[in-house]
Amino acid sequence: MLFDLAEKASIRPTAWIRNAVYKALEREYPSAMYKEAVAKDEAAWRASVRKRVEGRIKSRKAPEDSE
């Protein structure tokens, strides 16, 4: 069922779950608290992506340095 819902929304199943969780949290918590949590989550995501990119750059440079 999850795969069907995600396919209908043209997103991955994990993205569908994340969106459903965010909607539930938005309903349950005060707006200010929810927005603060979303901002922290987005900052953590950006940091994770940045570190992943930096790691890939380092791993590509490593073979070049050993030559």
Side-chain angles (χ1 to χ4, degrees):
M1 289 189 289
L2 172 61
F3 289 100
D4 291 336
L5 292 170
E7 188 176 321
K8 287 177 186 175
S10 299
I11 58 177
R12 294 174 299 152
T14 53
W16 191 93
I17 292 170
R18 183 182 60 245
N19 292 342
V21 168
Y22 275 116
K23 286 177 187 177
L25 291 172
E26 189 174 21
R27 283 190 307 266
E28 294 294 323
Y29 287 93
S31 179
M33 184 183 283
Y34 171 78
K35 288 178 182 178
E36 181 182 343
V38 168
K40 287 180 181 179
D41 189 45
E42 288 173 355
W45 174 253
R46 283 192 300 274
S48 172
V49 169
R50 183 175 19 85
K51 287 183 179 192
R52 201 175 321 144
V53 169
E54 290 170 357
R56 287 181 186 158
I57 290 170
K58 286 180 184 178
S59 69
R60 288 182 182 155
K61 284 184 178 181
E64 294 172 4
D65 293 341
S66 63
E67 290 178 10

